[in-house]
Amino acid sequence: MGGPIALSPRLDLPAASALMTTLKEHDDGDLILDLAEVKHLGALCLQVMLSAATSAVAQGRSVSLVNASDRVIDQLRVMGMTPEAISRGRQ
C-alpha cells in the first residue's frame, strides 16, 4: 500500500481494535507509522504496534516510527520502550 500510516490522536483501549485492523491492512511493503497527531499512547496500542512491527521484521520489511512528539516518546519511555526498539520488533 505504501506511504506512512497516520495514527489517531488517542491510542487507548477503545482504539486498539481499529489500530490492529489498520495495521493488518498494510501488510506489504515497509511499515511506516506516522505519530504526528498522537497525543496519548496506551499500553494496549503499544502492544498492537509492537506485534505489527515484529511481524513486519520477520517478513523482511523495515519498520519506522516518524514524527513522534516528545510527549509520545516520554510515554514510550515510561513503558520501557523507544521508537528504535519498536522498529526492531521483538528481538
Side-chain angles (χ1 to χ4, degrees), residues 22-82:
T22 297
L23 296 180
K24 283 184 178 182
E25 290 171 352
H26 292 80
D27 64 353
D28 59 341
D30 294 337
L31 181 61
I32 304 167
L33 304 178
D34 186 348
L35 283 72
E37 298 298 319
V38 178
K39 305 290 185 244
H40 173 80
L41 177 59
L44 187 54
C45 284
L46 172 59
Q47 287 178 311
V48 170
M49 290 168 50
L50 185 57
S51 176
T54 300
S55 294
V57 168
Q59 295 168 0
R61 299 162 43 210
S62 70
V63 178
S64 57
L65 278 66
V66 298
N67 301 321
S69 67
D70 290 342
R71 178 179 179 162
V72 170
I73 290 172
D74 285 344
Q75 292 171 5
L76 286 170
R77 191 186 70 234
V78 166
M79 292 184 277
M81 294 299 291
T82 64

